[in-house]
Amino acid sequence: MAKNNIKVEKGAFEYKGKTYSEYFICGNVRGRDVKIKIAPPDKNDKGGYTVLDIVFGNEDKADFIAEPFEFTNGEGKPVTGTRFLVRTVDKETGEVYECAVKPARNSDKTLLAMLMR
């Protein structure tokens, strides 16, 4: 489903005198450069950005993982989908760090689907 080797990049922006991190995927869809913003899965959980900072560590890029899932709901019906992860591996210890992410806006969701074709 997903193209391999998609990377999530970490950048910085300023807002009201403070510096914040932002996370995004750069790609090209039909000859047009796109920047797809990525966010923690729960927009109300501001701690999700702390987790992303920990996953990235001192790196400015991380692997984007699209992982299919399937389970049976309480009514016995199958539910399928794809969850998205950002993953890094510590170069010294080999320890894997990862967290769930999602496209930040509906337009980012659409662009990501186009990029993954």
Side-chain angles (χ1 to χ4, degrees):
M1 174 186 171
K3 292 180 181 179
N4 292 335
N5 69 5
I6 293 177
K7 297 290 185 184
V8 177
E9 299 180 41
K10 179 180 180 179
F13 69 96
E14 284 196 34
Y15 180 72
K16 293 186 179 182
K18 291 180 113 180
T19 302
Y20 297 93
S21 295
E22 66 176 346
Y23 303 89
F24 52 89
I25 296 169
C26 289
N28 191 287
V29 177
R30 297 188 84 181
R32 187 176 253 187
D33 291 332
V34 295
K35 182 177 178 179
I36 303 165
K37 292 194 177 192
I38 300 297
D42 180 357
K43 67 180 180 179
N44 295 320
D45 180 8
K46 300 304 179 200
Y49 287 98
T50 300
V51 176
L52 275 168
D53 283 339
I54 291 169
V55 169
F56 271 80
N58 293 326
E59 303 295 322
D60 59 351
K61 290 186 179 181
D63 293 326
F64 178 76
I65 309 294
E67 189 174 85
F69 66 84
E70 182 175 342
F71 64 90
T72 304
N73 69 11
E75 299 172 1
K77 296 181 181 180
V79 177
T80 61
T82 303
R83 74 180 190 142
F84 302 121
L85 303 168
V86 173
R87 181 181 295 158
T88 59
V89 179
D90 187 287
K91 293 175 184 171
E92 293 178 17
T93 65
E95 190 168 354
V96 175
Y97 293 90
E98 67 182 23
C99 69
V101 293
K102 69 172 188 172
R105 305 170 295 219
N106 283 337
S107 58
D108 295 313
K109 182 178 179 179
T110 302
L111 287 169
L112 181 59
M114 290 177 187
L115 182 66
M116 292 175 61
R117 288 188 191 148

